[in-house]
Amino acid sequence: MALISYRTLSVSCRGAADEPWSVEPCPTANEIRAALRDPVPPLPRRRERRRPSELRRFCEPFADLLCDVVPPRRRVGQIPRSVLRPLWTLLLAERATDRRGRCASGGEIGAVEVAGLIHRAGRQPDFAERAASAHPDFWNIVDDIRAALILDDRVHDARAHLAAAAATGQCPHWLLDHLAASVAGLSAADPKAADLFVMLVARHRPVARTALEMLDRLADRPETRTHVAGLIDRLAEDVRTRAFAAVPERGPADPSALEAAVRDLTALKLSAGRVAHAAAAFGALEADLRALLGGRFLAGLAERIAGLVPADRTDLRHPDIARLRAALAALARSRRLFKALGTLPAFERALASVTEDAVSRLAGLAAGIDGLPAEERPAARAVIEDALGALHLVAPPPAFRRAAARVLPAQP
């Protein structure tokens, strides 16, 4: 049996650790070290509890339906957090004026209180007009909240059963049949309520594993199949909305938010990808993210880098090498996104174009240093060297050596 050197194995494992959520299978940790050392049990970590607040209790019945970004095409069950502000402001105003202590500070805010607040808000013409002007879909979103409040007890029961099944390690068939019959009954009476019930149960993280088995059973039944498709569509639209919000048409992109969106797509494909109707929805989402990365994201990043690379004497006198390094680091980090989506050639072409443009500019500036006043030449030469050194963040070593050979020999 051929032996693998420790250096080769450690390097390969270190490279895999840089891309933990890549679609490609990554090698495990260092097997040689694991075999030589006794396994050490991990120390228990205290789980941080989120501090309970009145706003969190206000949102608790529909917390799994909240989203951070207002989607351009809202689906049923998408409740943007910002749209809730008028309701929360109204509740605070009532608490300030109500001396009877119905919603006094420290009092419980539950489903009944939220339902009453929605009912009172609908009877106030001024509030209704202001809320509708702030967001045209406000009252449709409020209707989703109202439906979620009605389903609160039923959702809690379903989550409790699935949590018990997850604790035992198996999900009994009678439970899956009971949940499927419950969804079918809701669908016959109110299809929207059935959609929300499936979303509220399936999106609850503690029961995610057993919820997948529930989705499989629902997908097998014609009367409940459409609700599974609605959930899959909602999950895909959430990721799509966050990804496009991370790369606006105008302004800088948010690489961290874009990474989170691509990571969520990978997680969805690995977890819910086997559910019926998921292949088409996730395939369309992946195609949209590929187009976003290869189009708007790369173009914006290349334009930003081009604006930071010194191009004339003014740039040499007022360089911004720190921002140039940050932009190049963002480009280098985005490589894992393209690899996860299988579009690495597009990234390599863009990288070669950005590097060639920067090297050409720096070589031209280095060749014209003699035309500068003598007292400015050392500082200009240092700026060119710093900008060239920043390219080391994106250029492979052979390409960087060729770039240095083009720029540095031009100096006296």
Side-chain angles (χ1 to χ4, degrees):
M1 181 178 66
L3 296 177
I4 302 177
S5 68
Y6 173 79
R7 180 181 300 274
T8 303
L9 184 59
S10 63
V11 169
S12 64
C13 295
R14 185 168 60 251
D18 292 338
E19 298 171 355
W21 41 264
S22 175
V23 176
E24 299 181 1
C26 296
T28 59
N30 195 325
E31 298 176 352
I32 296 178
R33 183 176 298 175
L36 294 178
R37 295 185 179 180
D38 294 330
V40 179
L43 295 176
R45 295 181 60 184
R46 184 177 179 180
R47 187 175 182 180
E48 296 183 1
R49 287 190 173 185
R50 301 177 71 181
R51 179 178 300 177
S53 64
E54 294 178 352
L55 179 59
R56 188 162 291 121
R57 286 193 294 268
F58 173 80
C59 300
E60 184 177 1
F62 48 90
D64 290 306
L65 301 179
L66 296 176
C67 55
D68 296 326
V69 181
V70 178
R73 297 173 299 172
R74 195 187 75 88
R75 277 20 180 210
V76 172
Q78 282 184 312
I79 302 177
R81 299 178 190 273
S82 59
V83 179
L84 297 176
R85 186 172 299 278
L87 285 176
W88 179 246
T89 303
L90 178 62
L91 177 62
L92 295 180
E94 288 185 352
R95 292 181 58 197
T97 58
D98 190 355
R99 297 183 179 181
R100 293 173 299 174
R102 179 185 57 201
C103 291
S105 179
E108 290 296 328
I109 300 177
V112 176
E113 288 73 21
V114 178
L117 175 67
I118 292 174
H119 178 69
R120 295 191 298 274
R123 297 174 60 184
Q124 298 184 15
D126 294 341
F127 176 85
E129 184 178 353
R130 289 196 308 270
S133 62
H135 193 283
D137 209 21
F138 176 81
W139 289 107
N140 289 330
I141 296 173
V142 169
D143 190 56
D144 288 357
I145 296 175
R146 185 185 294 111
L149 296 175
I150 296 173
L151 295 170
D152 191 47
D153 291 338
R154 187 176 295 189
V155 169
H156 276 290
D157 291 342
R159 288 175 176 175
H161 282 94
L162 291 175
T168 59
Q170 57 182 355
C171 195
H173 292 287
W174 65 263
L175 175 58
L176 298 176
D177 291 336
H178 171 72
L179 292 174
S182 180
V183 173
L186 280 173
S187 180
D190 186 358
K192 181 178 181 178
D195 281 338
L196 293 175
F197 176 81
V198 174
M199 292 178 190
L200 287 167
V201 173
R203 288 175 62 86
H204 195 54
R205 290 187 178 182
V207 299
R209 182 176 300 176
T210 47
L212 286 176
E213 299 185 35
M214 180 194 74
L215 294 179
D216 285 335
R217 185 61 57 91
L218 296 178
D220 292 338
R221 296 194 173 195
E223 63 271 21
T224 58
R225 192 172 297 158
T226 57
H227 304 296
V228 177
L231 172 65
I232 296 299
D233 181 64
R234 159 70 200 275
L235 295 174
E237 187 61 26
D238 279 350
V239 176
R240 182 181 289 107
T241 300
R242 289 189 287 110
F244 277 82
V247 190
E249 293 184 1
R250 296 180 179 179
D254 185 353
S256 298
L258 186 60
E259 284 184 18
V262 176
R263 185 168 58 246
D264 289 346
L265 168 62
T266 304
L268 286 175
K269 291 171 62 178
L270 294 177
S271 58
R274 59 185 177 87
V275 177
H277 310 289
F282 294 163
L285 172 61
E286 186 171 10
D288 289 344
L289 293 190
R290 286 176 176 174
L292 179 65
L293 280 173
R296 190 190 305 175
F297 176 74
L298 268 184
L301 203 51
E303 182 180 358
R304 182 184 176 194
I305 293 173
L308 294 172
V309 174
D312 51 28
R313 295 183 178 182
T314 303
D315 293 339
L316 290 178
R317 295 188 181 100
H318 306 283
D320 201 345
I321 304 301
R323 292 178 60 192
L324 174 62
R325 289 196 187 99
L328 290 172
L331 177 62
R333 184 178 177 85
S334 68
R335 182 182 187 276
R336 63 179 64 188
L337 303 181
F338 289 87
K339 185 174 182 180
L341 295 177
T343 57
L344 199 54
F347 171 82
E348 299 293 349
R349 290 192 296 270
L351 178 62
S353 175
V354 168
T355 305
E356 175 61 27
D357 178 69
V359 171
S360 298
R361 292 188 184 187
L362 295 177
L365 289 176
I369 280 185
D370 291 340
L372 297 175
E375 63 275 10
E376 295 184 7
R377 293 174 190 174
R381 197 171 289 118
V383 170
I384 293 174
E385 291 177 354
D386 290 342
L388 179 63
L391 293 178
H392 188 64
L393 295 170
V394 295
F400 180 76
R401 286 193 292 268
R402 291 193 296 270
R406 288 177 57 185
V407 176
L408 296 179
Q411 302 177 21

Coordinates of all heavy atoms in Angstrom, one line a residue, residues 17-78:
A17 N -10.6 22.9 4.2 CA -11.2 23.7 5.3 C -11.5 25.1 4.9 O -12.4 25.7 5.5 CB -10.2 23.7 6.5
D18 N -10.9 25.6 3.8 CA -11.2 26.9 3.4 C -12.6 27.0 2.7 O -13.1 28.1 2.6 CB -10.1 27.4 2.4 CG -8.8 27.6 3.1 OD1 -8.8 27.8 4.3 OD2 -7.8 27.6 2.4
E19 N -13.1 25.9 2.3 CA -14.4 25.9 1.6 C -15.3 24.8 2.2 O -15.6 23.8 1.7 CB -14.2 25.6 0.1 CG -13.4 26.6 -0.6 CD -13.0 26.2 -2.0 OE1 -13.3 25.1 -2.4 OE2 -12.4 27.0 -2.7
P20 N -15.8 25.1 3.5 CA -16.5 24.1 4.2 C -17.9 23.8 3.6 O -18.4 22.7 3.9 CB -16.7 24.7 5.6 CG -16.6 26.2 5.3 CD -15.6 26.4 4.2
W21 N -18.5 24.7 2.8 CA -19.8 24.4 2.4 C -19.8 24.2 0.8 O -20.8 24.4 0.2 CB -20.8 25.5 2.7 CG -20.2 26.9 2.6 CD1 -19.7 27.7 3.6 CD2 -20.2 27.7 1.4 NE1 -19.3 28.9 3.1 CE2 -19.6 28.9 1.8 CE3 -20.5 27.5 0.1 CZ2 -19.3 29.9 0.9 CZ3 -20.3 28.5 -0.8 CH2 -19.7 29.7 -0.4
S22 N -18.7 23.8 0.3 CA -18.6 23.6 -1.1 C -19.5 22.3 -1.5 O -19.6 21.4 -0.7 CB -17.2 23.3 -1.6 OG -17.1 22.9 -2.9
V23 N -20.0 22.3 -2.7 CA -20.8 21.2 -3.1 C -20.0 20.0 -3.3 O -20.4 18.8 -3.1 CB -21.6 21.5 -4.4 CG1 -22.4 20.4 -4.9 CG2 -22.5 22.7 -4.2
E24 N -18.7 20.1 -3.7 CA -17.9 19.0 -3.9 C -17.5 18.3 -2.6 O -17.4 19.0 -1.5 CB -16.6 19.4 -4.6 CG -16.8 20.1 -5.9 CD -15.5 20.5 -6.6 OE1 -14.5 20.3 -6.0 OE2 -15.6 21.0 -7.7
P25 N -17.4 17.0 -2.5 CA -17.1 16.3 -1.3 C -15.7 16.7 -0.8 O -14.7 16.7 -1.5 CB -17.1 14.8 -1.6 CG -16.9 14.8 -3.1 CD -17.5 16.1 -3.6
C26 N -15.6 17.1 0.5 CA -14.3 17.6 1.0 C -13.7 16.4 1.8 O -14.4 15.6 2.5 CB -14.5 18.8 1.9 SG -15.1 20.2 1.1
P27 N -12.4 16.3 1.8 CA -11.7 15.3 2.7 C -11.9 15.5 4.1 O -12.2 16.7 4.6 CB -10.2 15.4 2.3 CG -10.1 16.8 1.8 CD -11.4 17.1 1.1
T28 N -11.9 14.5 4.9 CA -12.1 14.6 6.4 C -10.8 15.2 7.0 O -9.8 15.5 6.3 CB -12.4 13.2 7.0 OG1 -11.3 12.4 6.7 CG2 -13.6 12.7 6.4
A29 N -10.8 15.4 8.3 CA -9.7 15.9 9.0 C -8.5 15.0 9.0 O -8.6 13.9 8.5 CB -10.1 16.2 10.5
N30 N -7.4 15.4 9.5 CA -6.2 14.7 9.4 C -6.3 13.3 10.1 O -6.5 13.1 11.3 CB -5.1 15.4 10.2 CG -3.7 14.9 9.8 OD1 -3.5 13.7 9.6 ND2 -2.7 15.8 9.8
E31 N -6.4 12.2 9.2 CA -6.7 10.9 9.7 C -5.4 10.3 10.5 O -5.6 9.5 11.4 CB -7.0 10.0 8.6 CG -8.3 10.4 7.9 CD -8.6 9.6 6.6 OE1 -7.7 8.8 6.3 OE2 -9.7 9.7 6.1
I32 N -4.2 10.7 10.1 CA -3.1 10.2 10.8 C -3.0 10.7 12.2 O -2.8 9.9 13.2 CB -1.8 10.6 10.0 CG1 -1.7 10.0 8.6 CG2 -0.5 10.3 10.8 CD1 -0.6 10.4 7.8
R33 N -3.3 12.0 12.4 CA -3.2 12.6 13.7 C -4.4 12.0 14.6 O -4.2 11.7 15.8 CB -3.4 14.1 13.6 CG -3.3 14.8 15.0 CD -3.3 16.3 14.8 NE -2.2 16.8 14.1 CZ -2.0 18.0 13.7 NH1 -2.9 18.9 14.0 NH2 -0.9 18.4 13.0
A34 N -5.6 11.8 13.9 CA -6.7 11.2 14.7 C -6.4 9.8 15.1 O -6.8 9.3 16.2 CB -7.9 11.3 13.8
A35 N -5.6 9.1 14.3 CA -5.3 7.7 14.7 C -4.3 7.6 15.8 O -4.3 6.7 16.6 CB -4.8 6.9 13.5
L36 N -3.4 8.6 15.9 CA -2.3 8.5 16.9 C -2.7 9.1 18.2 O -2.2 8.7 19.2 CB -1.1 9.3 16.4 CG -0.4 8.7 15.1 CD1 0.7 9.7 14.7 CD2 0.1 7.4 15.4
R37 N -3.7 9.9 18.2 CA -4.2 10.6 19.5 C -5.5 10.0 19.9 O -6.3 9.7 19.1 CB -4.3 12.1 19.3 CG -3.0 12.8 19.0 CD -3.2 14.3 18.9 NE -2.0 15.0 18.7 CZ -1.9 16.3 18.6 NH1 -3.0 17.1 18.7 NH2 -0.8 16.9 18.4
D38 N -5.6 9.9 21.2 CA -6.9 9.4 21.8 C -8.0 10.5 21.5 O -7.7 11.7 21.7 CB -6.8 9.1 23.3 CG -5.9 8.0 23.5 OD1 -5.8 7.1 22.7 OD2 -5.2 8.0 24.6
P39 N -9.2 10.1 21.2 CA -10.2 11.1 21.0 C -10.5 11.9 22.3 O -10.7 11.3 23.4 CB -11.4 10.3 20.6 CG -11.2 8.9 21.1 CD -9.7 8.7 21.0
V40 N -10.5 13.2 22.3 CA -10.8 14.0 23.4 C -12.2 14.5 23.3 O -12.6 15.1 22.3 CB -9.8 15.2 23.5 CG1 -10.1 16.1 24.7 CG2 -8.4 14.7 23.6
P41 N -13.1 14.2 24.3 CA -14.4 14.7 24.3 C -14.5 16.2 24.3 O -13.8 16.8 25.0 CB -15.1 14.1 25.5 CG -14.0 13.8 26.4 CD -12.8 13.5 25.6
P42 N -15.3 16.8 23.5 CA -15.4 18.3 23.4 C -16.0 18.8 24.7 O -16.8 18.1 25.4 CB -16.4 18.5 22.3 CG -17.2 17.3 22.1 CD -16.3 16.2 22.5
L43 N -15.5 19.9 25.1 CA -16.0 20.5 26.3 C -17.5 21.0 26.1 O -17.8 21.5 25.0 CB -15.1 21.7 26.8 CG -13.7 21.4 27.2 CD1 -12.9 22.6 27.5 CD2 -13.7 20.5 28.4
P44 N -18.3 20.9 27.1 CA -19.7 21.4 26.9 C -19.7 22.9 26.7 O -19.1 23.6 27.5 CB -20.4 20.9 28.2 CG -19.3 20.8 29.2 CD -18.1 20.3 28.4
R45 N -20.5 23.3 25.8 CA -20.6 24.8 25.5 C -22.0 25.2 26.0 O -23.0 24.6 25.7 CB -20.4 25.1 24.0 CG -19.0 24.8 23.5 CD -18.9 25.1 22.0 NE -19.2 26.6 21.8 CZ -19.3 27.1 20.6 NH1 -19.1 26.4 19.6 NH2 -19.5 28.4 20.5
R46 N -21.9 26.3 26.7 CA -23.2 26.8 27.2 C -23.9 27.5 26.1 O -23.3 28.4 25.4 CB -22.9 27.8 28.4 CG -24.2 28.3 29.0 CD -23.9 29.2 30.1 NE -25.1 29.8 30.7 CZ -25.1 30.6 31.8 NH1 -24.0 30.9 32.3 NH2 -26.3 31.1 32.2
R47 N -25.1 27.1 25.8 CA -25.9 27.7 24.7 C -26.4 29.1 25.1 O -27.1 29.2 26.2 CB -27.0 26.8 24.4 CG -27.8 27.2 23.1 CD -28.8 26.2 22.7 NE -29.5 26.6 21.5 CZ -30.5 25.9 21.0 NH1 -30.9 24.7 21.5 NH2 -31.1 26.3 19.9
E48 N -26.1 30.1 24.3 CA -26.5 31.4 24.7 C -28.0 31.5 24.4 O -28.5 31.2 23.3 CB -25.7 32.4 23.9 CG -24.3 32.5 24.2 CD -23.6 33.5 23.4 OE1 -24.3 34.3 22.6 OE2 -22.3 33.7 23.5
R49 N -28.7 32.0 25.4 CA -30.1 32.3 25.3 C -30.4 33.7 24.9 O -29.8 34.6 25.4 CB -30.9 32.0 26.6 CG -30.9 30.5 26.9 CD -31.9 30.3 28.1 NE -32.1 28.8 28.3 CZ -33.0 28.4 29.2 NH1 -33.7 29.3 29.9 NH2 -33.2 27.1 29.3
R50 N -31.3 33.8 23.9 CA -31.6 35.2 23.5 C -32.5 35.8 24.6 O -33.5 35.1 25.1 CB -32.4 35.1 22.1 CG -31.6 34.5 21.1 CD -32.3 34.4 19.8 NE -32.5 35.7 19.2 CZ -33.2 35.9 18.1 NH1 -33.7 34.9 17.4 NH2 -33.3 37.1 17.6
R51 N -32.3 37.0 24.9 CA -33.0 37.7 26.0 C -34.4 37.9 25.5 O -34.7 38.5 24.5 CB -32.4 39.0 26.3 CG -33.1 39.7 27.4 CD -32.3 41.0 27.7 NE -31.0 40.8 28.2 CZ -30.1 41.7 28.4 NH1 -30.4 43.0 28.3 NH2 -28.9 41.4 28.8
P52 N -35.4 37.4 26.3 CA -36.8 37.6 25.9 C -37.2 39.1 26.0 O -36.8 39.8 26.9 CB -37.6 36.8 27.0 CG -36.7 36.7 28.1 CD -35.3 36.7 27.6
S53 N -37.9 39.5 25.0 CA -38.3 40.9 24.9 C -39.8 40.9 24.5 O -40.3 40.0 23.9 CB -37.4 41.7 24.0 OG -37.6 41.3 22.7
E54 N -40.4 42.1 24.7 CA -41.8 42.2 24.3 C -41.9 42.1 22.8 O -42.9 41.5 22.3 CB -42.3 43.5 24.8 CG -42.4 43.6 26.3 CD -42.9 44.9 26.8 OE1 -43.1 45.8 26.0 OE2 -43.2 45.0 28.0
L55 N -41.0 42.7 22.0 CA -41.0 42.6 20.6 C -40.9 41.2 20.1 O -41.6 40.7 19.2 CB -40.0 43.5 20.0 CG -39.9 43.5 18.4 CD1 -41.2 44.0 17.8 CD2 -38.7 44.4 18.0
R56 N -40.0 40.4 20.8 CA -39.9 39.0 20.4 C -41.1 38.2 20.7 O -41.5 37.3 19.9 CB -38.6 38.4 21.1 CG -38.3 37.0 20.6 CD -36.8 36.6 21.0 NE -35.9 37.4 20.2 CZ -35.0 38.2 20.8 NH1 -34.9 38.3 22.1 NH2 -34.2 38.9 20.0
R57 N -41.7 38.5 21.8 CA -43.0 37.8 22.2 C -44.1 38.2 21.2 O -45.0 37.4 20.8 CB -43.4 38.1 23.6 CG -42.6 37.4 24.6 CD -43.2 37.5 26.0 NE -43.3 38.9 26.5 CZ -42.3 39.4 27.3 NH1 -41.3 38.7 27.6 NH2 -42.4 40.7 27.7
F58 N -44.1 39.4 20.7 CA -45.0 39.9 19.8 C -44.9 39.1 18.5 O -45.9 38.8 17.8 CB -44.8 41.4 19.5 CG -45.6 42.0 18.4 CD1 -46.9 42.4 18.6 CD2 -45.1 42.2 17.2 CE1 -47.7 42.9 17.6 CE2 -45.8 42.8 16.2 CZ -47.1 43.1 16.4
C59 N -43.7 38.8 18.0 CA -43.5 38.1 16.8 C -43.4 36.6 16.9 O -43.3 35.9 15.9 CB -42.2 38.6 16.1 SG -42.1 40.3 15.8
E60 N -43.5 36.1 18.1 CA -43.3 34.6 18.3 C -44.2 33.7 17.5 O -43.8 32.7 16.9 CB -43.4 34.3 19.8 CG -43.1 32.8 20.1 CD -43.1 32.6 21.6 OE1 -43.4 33.5 22.4 OE2 -42.8 31.4 22.0
P61 N -45.5 34.0 17.4 CA -46.4 33.1 16.7 C -46.1 33.0 15.2 O -46.4 31.9 14.6 CB -47.8 33.7 16.9 CG -47.7 34.6 18.1 CD -46.3 35.1 18.1
F62 N -45.5 33.9 14.6 CA -45.2 33.9 13.2 C -43.7 34.1 13.0 O -43.3 34.6 11.9 CB -46.0 34.9 12.4 CG -46.0 36.3 13.0 CD1 -45.1 37.2 12.7 CD2 -47.0 36.6 14.0 CE1 -45.1 38.5 13.3 CE2 -47.0 37.9 14.5 CZ -46.0 38.8 14.2
A63 N -42.8 33.9 13.9 CA -41.4 34.2 13.8 C -40.7 33.4 12.7 O -39.8 33.9 12.0 CB -40.7 33.8 15.1
D64 N -41.2 32.2 12.4 CA -40.6 31.4 11.3 C -41.0 31.9 9.9 O -40.5 31.3 8.9 CB -40.9 29.9 11.5 CG -40.2 29.3 12.7 OD1 -39.0 29.4 12.8 OD2 -40.9 28.8 13.5
L65 N -41.8 32.9 9.8 CA -42.2 33.4 8.5 C -41.6 34.8 8.3 O -41.7 35.3 7.2 CB -43.8 33.6 8.5 CG -44.6 32.4 8.7 CD1 -46.1 32.7 8.6 CD2 -44.3 31.3 7.7
L66 N -40.8 35.3 9.2 CA -40.2 36.6 9.0 C -39.0 36.6 8.1 O -38.3 35.6 8.0 CB -39.7 37.1 10.4 CG -40.8 37.4 11.5 CD1 -40.1 37.8 12.8 CD2 -41.7 38.5 11.0
C67 N -38.9 37.6 7.3 CA -37.7 37.8 6.4 C -37.2 39.2 6.6 O -37.9 40.1 7.0 CB -38.1 37.5 5.0 SG -39.5 38.4 4.3
D68 N -35.9 39.4 6.3 CA -35.2 40.6 6.5 C -35.4 41.6 5.4 O -35.3 42.8 5.6 CB -33.7 40.4 6.8 CG -33.4 39.6 8.0 OD1 -34.2 39.8 9.0 OD2 -32.5 38.8 8.0
V69 N -35.6 41.1 4.2 CA -35.7 42.0 3.0 C -37.1 42.0 2.5 O -37.8 40.9 2.5 CB -34.7 41.5 1.9 CG1 -34.8 42.4 0.7 CG2 -33.3 41.5 2.5
V70 N -37.6 43.1 2.0 CA -38.9 43.2 1.4 C -38.8 42.6 0.0 O -38.1 43.2 -0.9 CB -39.5 44.6 1.3 CG1 -40.8 44.7 0.6 CG2 -39.6 45.2 2.7
P71 N -39.4 41.5 -0.3 CA -39.2 40.8 -1.6 C -40.0 41.6 -2.7 O -41.1 42.1 -2.4 CB -39.8 39.4 -1.4 CG -40.8 39.6 -0.3 CD -40.3 40.7 0.6
P72 N -39.4 41.6 -3.9 CA -40.2 42.3 -5.0 C -41.4 41.6 -5.4 O -42.4 42.2 -5.8 CB -39.1 42.3 -6.1 CG -38.2 41.2 -5.8 CD -38.1 41.1 -4.3
R73 N -41.4 40.3 -5.3 CA -42.6 39.5 -5.5 C -42.9 38.6 -4.3 O -42.4 37.5 -4.2 CB -42.4 38.6 -6.8 CG -42.2 39.3 -8.1 CD -41.8 38.4 -9.2 NE -40.5 37.7 -8.9 CZ -40.1 36.7 -9.6 NH1 -40.7 36.2 -10.6 NH2 -38.9 36.1 -9.2
R74 N -43.7 39.2 -3.4 CA -44.0 38.5 -2.1 C -44.8 37.2 -2.3 O -45.8 37.2 -3.0 CB -44.7 39.5 -1.2 CG -44.7 39.0 0.3 CD -45.5 39.9 1.1 NE -46.9 39.6 0.9 CZ -47.6 38.7 1.6 NH1 -47.0 38.0 2.5 NH2 -48.9 38.5 1.4
R75 N -44.4 36.2 -1.6 CA -45.1 34.9 -1.6 C -46.0 34.9 -0.3 O -45.7 35.7 0.6 CB -44.2 33.7 -1.6 CG -43.6 33.2 -2.9 CD -43.6 33.9 -4.0 NE -43.0 33.2 -5.2 CZ -42.3 33.8 -6.1 NH1 -42.1 35.1 -6.1 NH2 -41.8 33.1 -7.1
V76 N -46.9 34.0 -0.3 CA -47.7 33.8 0.9 C -46.8 33.3 2.0 O -46.0 32.4 1.8 CB -48.8 32.7 0.7 CG1 -49.5 32.3 2.0 CG2 -49.8 33.3 -0.3
G77 N -46.9 33.9 3.2 CA -46.0 33.5 4.3 C -44.7 34.3 4.4 O -43.9 34.0 5.3
Q78 N -44.5 35.2 3.5 CA -43.3 36.1 3.6 C -43.7 37.4 4.3 O -44.4 38.2 3.8 CB -42.7 36.4 2.2 CG -41.9 35.3 1.6 CD -41.3 35.7 0.3 OE1 -41.9 36.3 -0.6 NE2 -40.0 35.5 0.1

